[in-house]
Each structure stands twice: as C-alpha cells, then as structure tokens.
Amino acid sequence: MTSSEVAALHSTTAPPAGLHVLPRSIPEAFAALTPIASALLDSSFHILQVSARYLTFNNLTSDECIGRNVFDLVKSKALVPGLVSLQLAIDRAIETKNVSVTSTSEYRDGRPFYASLRAVPIFEHDVLLYMLLEVQDNTAEHDRRVTLNDQLDTNDTYKVLVDTVKDYAIFMLDTKGNVRTWNAGAALLKGYKPEEIIGKHFSIFYGEEDKIAEKPRKELEICLRESKVEDEGWRYKKDGSRFWANVTITCVVRNGVHIGFSKVTRDLTERKAAESRVVAAYEESSKLKSAFLANTSHEIRTPLHGMLSALTLLMDTSLTPEQRELGSIIEESGSVLLQVINDILDYSKLSSGVFSIMTDVPVSIPALITSIVRGIQPSLKPRVTLGTNLGPNLPTTALGDPLRYRQVLQNLVANAVKFTESGSINIDASLVEEDASTYTVRTEITDTGIGIKDVAIASLFTPFTQFDASATKRYRGTGLGLSICKSLAELMGGAISFHPNPNGQGSVFWFTVKLHKINARNQVDRLSAKFVASTLSPVPDSLTLVRELAPGKRILLAEDNFINQKVMLMMLKGLGFGKVDIAVDGAEAVDRAKRNPLFYDLILMDVSMPVLDGVSATIQIRELGIETPIIAMTANAIKEDVTSYLARGMNDYVPKPVDRKVLLKAFLRWLK
Amino acid sequence: MPDSTRREAEDRSEEGSVSLPDLGDSIDAVTFEQILEMDDDEDDREFSRSIVFGFFEQAEQTFKKMDDALKAGDLAELSSLGHFLKGSSATLGLTKVKDSCEKIQHYGQKKDEAGTADEPDEKKCLERIEETLVAVKEEYAEVEKVLKKFYGS
C-alpha cells in the first residue's frame, strides 16, 4: 500500500452509483460495517481504527481503544484472546510477512471460548506500516463439531454393540498378546472383570499343557502369517474351571500397520455335549443294527445248511424228472440265499468294525490271480475269453492278507463273468507305487459285458443297492458285494473305483492294495500297528505324512561342512524331497533366499558358518520381509541359545547330529 | 528339546533295528546306524562308505590346520576348526572325537573345557589345546581303525 493510498483511506468513499447511502469516510465505513471484530494498528501496534463489532465484543468504547497500544489494552482489560495468542499471531505475521491465523481456546467469563486470531501485516518493502487484527469467535461452531464428531465416531457405535454381546467373549489384544478391551460377554464367560484382566497376557486363558507347548505364541504367529486363526480347545476361567471353546483370532491392521488382534471366544460346552450325545446314540444304534444283522444271519445260516444238506441227500434218491427239476430249483435258490447271508455277515462285521485284516501273511499276487482264473474258468459263458496280464515289476512275494485280496478279486471277476455274455474279460495287475517299505498294487478287471448305466455309478459301492431292479431277476445277488469290496480294499490301504470300458461296451473295475516289503521288518511292524482292523482310516505316522508333503517342496540347506551336507541331502532325499539347494555359508543363504523370496518352502540353517553365521543370516532374511520357516541346526544344545535363535527370527530348532524323527516333527510343524 | 531327542534315541536302540558288529564305545551306534540306513545296498554300502572316507580326509586336513594354528598361537582359528570337525564327527556319531573337538572349540574361545567359565590366560589355553589335540588324534586313529575294518579295507 502506497502512502497516497493510505491517505485515500481517510478520504470520502464514493458510493456505488444508484445507491442512496449517506457518504461515509473509509475509516467510518471500516468502523461501522466490518462484519468481524477488527482493529487496525500502526507499526508500533497503537490502535488506529476499531470496528463496531470489536467494541461490542470486548465491551469497550471507541475512546478507550483509539491511540492505545493494543498489548496494553489487552493486558489492562484482560481481553480474550489474551496476550500470549496476540503476541504469537503478530510475531508470526511479521516474521512471515503474511497473514497468520492462531487458534486459541481460553476461558471467557468462566466458560470455554474458542477463537481464531487473524493478523494481517501490511508491509511496504521491508517496512511494517500497519497491522490488521481480526478475532473470530468459533465457540458455537466448535460445540457443533464436537457433537457431530460424537455422532461420526463409528468406533463408539461398534463398541456399544460389542459391549452388549453377552454370549461371546469379544476382546482386543495388542501386538504382544496383552488384553486391551473386554466386553460383557468376556466378563460373563471368563469371570474376569475388565480391571482385572486388561493388560494381562491372553495366555492366562490357556491350560498348562497348551502353555508349555507355547500354543498362545504359535497361534499369534500363525495369525500373523495367515491373518486369521481358528481353534477349538479347552480354555480356563478365572475360577479355574474349564470350558470347550471355539476361538477365532484375527489380525487387526490399520493403515498398513499391525496394531493387534481381535479375539472372539465362544463357549461350545453345551454344543459339544449335545454332539457327543448324538454321536453316542448313533454309534449305539449302528452297533445294535450290525449286531442284529450278524446274529440273524448266523441264526439263518445254521438251518439253511441243514436244509441244503438234506436237499443234497434227497437229490441222490430216485426222483421223477419233475421232482428233480423242482429239487434243483430249491438247490439253486438255496445256494443264492447262502451267498446272501454270507455277504450280510461280512458286511455287518465290516461295518461294526470287528473285521480284521492280516498284514503279515506272505502274498503272491501272480499266484493268487492264476488260482482265481483257474477256479472261475468253468463258469465262463461259451463265447467269452478270460485273459490275464501281469506287470513285469509285480512283486512275487510281499506281506498282506491273501484271503481278502482273493475275496475282492473273486467278487469282481465273478461279477464280470456274470454280466458278460460275449467278448472278453481281462485281469491286469501292476505295481503302481513303491516306497521304502510298501508296494501299491493295482488290479484291473475289464469286461465287455452289459456295463453300468451312468445313473447307477454314484451308488455303485453303496450297500444294498442293485443298479437295475430288472437285472435282479436275471442276475441274482445281494447288492452287498461291491460295498464289501470297497471296505476290504480300504482296509488294505487302497481304493476301489469303476469306469466304463473305454473301448465301448462293458465295465472296468480296479482296486489297489498296499503290501509290505518282507525285508523291511521295522516299517512293517510300525505300519501294522496302524492297521488295527477296527479302524477304517488308519492314522498315518509322521514319516508317511512328511512323505506326502514332500513332493514339490523346495528346501534350502545352509551348511558349511560337506560331510553334513551329504548326510542331510541323503536324509532329505529319503524323505522324498527332490528339490534341495545348498548354501555353504550364511551369506549365500541370504542371497538365495533374496533372489526369489517365495521360492523355498523351508530353510534348514546351520548356526555356525563362515562368512555369515546362521543367526545373522536369519536376521537379514527376516529384514528382507521373507517369512519362510527357518529351522536351526546346531550342536549347541544349550537352552538359552535356542531361545535366542527363536527370538531372532528362527522358527524351530533341531539338535545336531540331526535325528530323523526330530526332523520329521519339525517338518510337520512347518511344512503344512 | 534335547531331552526328547535322547528319549527317542533310546526308544530306537531298544528296537535294535540294524544288527551291526560292535563298533566300540567311541561310536554312537544309534547315530551311525542312521547313516547306515541310508545305504541302498547293505553289501557295498556305497553311501556311508563315501561319507566315512570323506570324513577321514576332512579330519586329517583339519588336524593339519590345527597343528599350524597351534604353532601360530591362533586361538580363534583353533576354535573355529574345532567347531568345524565337531559338526561332522557328531553327524557320524564319533562321540569321543566330537567331545574333544568341542573342548578345542571352547579353549580357543578362552574358556574352560565345558565352555562355561572364562580362562583369560592364552598360554594356558594353548597348552590345553596341545594336550587335547594329541588325545583327539589318538581317538580318531582308533575309530579310523574300527571303521576301516568295518568297510573291509
């Protein structure tokens, strides 16, 4: 602003044309009309002009203000905003040579007062000429915003919802696993009041065994890895009583930063009790049914045997052709009935779980097939040929249950013979899989018979179904044969299946069985323990489980001593890991892990290595954000060492010399 | 965890899985059998043979390096060599050699035999290593003889 312009401030303003307003000077207009409390100061902060609003706001008269130093005025009249805000606003405006706005919250007449103080400096070159001060009262607006904020705070809304839930314990954990919030449901379920539990670690809800197994820590780890973890198990209340709980832990991330976990716990005690009552009732009734079937079948079989024996004697006497004809019908029906009853007996034994399978009787598959072919040859229809094809690598001797293998094959071949009017029946047997202790043999029966309609395929192995009611008349049977075969195949560690003959007419049935190698006594003993006849699905041991997991998994082995490298490689190979890379020191391990962060499924890390040791390598790998499980291998079996490895990002520890069983368990923990 | 390992090792030795000639008390049967089980063919034992003879070579080279390091009074190098040979001898179950290597590792770190207490006197550490080195070479010679006999060479 030039001096001439300042002079103009004091001259008369020309009202816009057409408006009949009394002419006012600029100071008059400023004083009367500025819609905000304003004061114009000179360079020494003496008041030149004040607006009417300023006077009413501060309850002053014009004479009290004009010509006075603004600081003195504010101080003597204890005006609000006070000296501190005023000084700040003016200093900042001068310093920046620009408008400065200072927000203040003070007390005015004993009530909260929110205002912004605007200081407008008016410079000519570097010389301060004037300063315009404006005070804006924001109290009303501030109050409104506070109300609005309360409404907008959705967290509060959810908090109310969560707090009122009584059937679920819902609470938050911080990143370390300490309890941060506690709802009514949690207080009811676990018995702790909020003030007793907040800040405590959530492992307090776990039993001793879980704590020793570090389950709480592992759950959080898994949760971090997979963002959510669900678990069922015993949890403990404040009074020490336990309940069966379903727990869901979810990782909570805000703006990309992990801030904690949410945990929802449900009491399943009642449901579990109800479930076990239902299961018990079902098992009881199923057992009763099977026992009933077995008893009745047995009771029927005894008189039937008597009847058939008597019939044989009767048939040897002199009969008229008509009597002989009738007699042979009774004989035929009787033998079918006997077969039906035998099937039912087998089936009821299988389904009640008292059926036992041998695992240690020598079996020769070629000999068994030859014997069955020989036995069935006479019942072949005239235009049907029966062929066999035995695979070259088929084991001639192994251990298993020859009787049950024969039963399955006999049943399938008999079916093929029964339903094939012309063409061929072929039995193919081959070795499909072999590991250190077992052979898996597949036997396939192909016929050119009537085949099986698509609609019937799904229920083929279901008990008591025959795929065609009309066929029952022509081809008599119980409808149990295939379901018995299925159970037997499964008991022998295999499976059974059907598909139509790819060459057009007919069926292909195949089944597999596992046989044990004779020279691997150890494995046989171990496996046979699992083949307790009463269980249809044996629980596999850790070796089997790891071998199932191994194919396709990539392992990085960091080990400097080549003797240990060779032994570990061989051990891994024996477990079925075909893809193992070797790093000869920690630096190479970091390098390989870095090159393709998702490449390896697991890293086996020796601790002491040249160039870079295993612990430092682990730290570097973790710093790169690579989360591949790392298992430490070391002869330093001191507990503190182990703890420090885990603290530095390793996941597990295997002592040296590496014992295969210990390694297997570690693999099972980290290769899922 | 070391406890459970020991327990499992005992379980396995009860099974008496592989029958082997007596290898003496300087070889841990359970650990060595684990290596033997990796052989495809029990007659030529190609894999375990290559491991064992590879170890002979490694041990002799390491002893030579230890002799040199002892002359130079290089405790850190001695410790690291001790650790190195400890690893492979542990893998083969050569218990005595492993234990002695561990002692050398500890002495080299200026610690006592068990690695628990400090031993600031470097001269004393070097003397102890010299003694242990003589002992470990004898122990090695013993297992070498047993193993060479086992592999029939």
Side-chain angles (χ1 to χ4, degrees), chain A residues 81 118 126 136 186 277 322 375 564 659 666:
Chain A
R118 223 166 97 96
D126 279 338
Q136 172 95 48
R277 280 197 297 272
E322 214 169 59
N564 293 350
D659 182 283

Coordinates of all heavy atoms in Angstrom, one line a residue, chain A residues 81 118 126 136 186 277 322 375 564 659 666:
Chain A
P81 N -9.0 -13.1 22.9 CA -7.8 -13.9 23.2 C -6.7 -13.0 23.9 O -6.6 -11.8 23.6 CB -7.2 -14.3 21.8 CG -8.3 -14.1 20.9 CD -9.2 -13.1 21.4
R118 N -6.6 -13.5 13.6 CA -6.0 -13.3 12.3 C -5.2 -12.0 12.4 O -5.7 -11.0 12.8 CB -7.1 -13.2 11.3 CG -6.9 -13.9 10.0 CD -8.2 -14.0 9.2 NE -8.2 -12.9 8.2 CZ -7.8 -13.1 7.0 NH1 -7.5 -14.3 6.6 NH2 -7.9 -12.1 6.1
D126 N 10.3 -3.5 3.1 CA 10.6 -4.3 4.3 C 10.1 -3.5 5.6 O 10.4 -3.9 6.7 CB 12.1 -4.6 4.5 CG 12.4 -5.8 3.6 OD1 11.4 -6.6 3.3 OD2 13.6 -6.0 3.2
Q136 N -12.1 -14.0 15.4 CA -13.3 -14.7 15.0 C -13.7 -15.7 16.2 O -13.0 -16.5 16.6 CB -13.0 -15.5 13.8 CG -14.1 -16.5 13.3 CD -15.0 -15.9 12.3 OE1 -14.5 -15.3 11.3 NE2 -16.3 -16.0 12.5
A186 N -17.2 -61.4 27.6 CA -15.9 -61.9 28.1 C -16.0 -62.0 29.6 O -15.5 -63.0 30.2 CB -14.8 -61.0 27.6
R277 N -23.6 -86.6 22.7 CA -24.8 -87.5 22.9 C -25.3 -88.0 21.6 O -25.6 -89.2 21.5 CB -25.9 -86.6 23.6 CG -25.6 -86.5 25.1 CD -26.9 -86.0 25.8 NE -27.4 -84.7 25.4 CZ -26.9 -83.5 25.9 NH1 -26.1 -83.5 26.9 NH2 -27.4 -82.4 25.5
E322 N -39.8 -134.5 -12.9 CA -40.4 -133.3 -12.4 C -39.9 -132.9 -11.0 O -39.6 -131.7 -10.7 CB -41.9 -133.5 -12.4 CG -42.7 -132.3 -12.7 CD -44.2 -132.7 -12.9 OE1 -44.8 -133.2 -12.0 OE2 -44.7 -132.4 -14.0
G375 N -10.1 -121.2 -11.1 CA -11.4 -121.5 -10.4 C -12.6 -121.1 -11.2 O -13.7 -121.7 -11.2
N564 N 28.3 -83.1 6.5 CA 27.0 -82.9 7.0 C 26.0 -82.6 5.8 O 24.9 -83.0 5.8 CB 26.9 -81.8 8.0 CG 27.7 -82.2 9.3 OD1 28.0 -83.4 9.4 ND2 27.9 -81.3 10.2
D659 N 18.6 -86.0 14.2 CA 17.9 -87.3 14.3 C 16.6 -87.2 13.4 O 15.9 -86.2 13.4 CB 17.4 -87.5 15.7 CG 16.7 -88.9 15.8 OD1 15.5 -88.9 15.5 OD2 17.3 -89.8 16.3
A666 N 9.7 -81.5 13.1 CA 9.8 -80.1 12.8 C 9.2 -79.9 11.4 O 8.5 -78.8 11.2 CB 11.3 -79.8 12.8

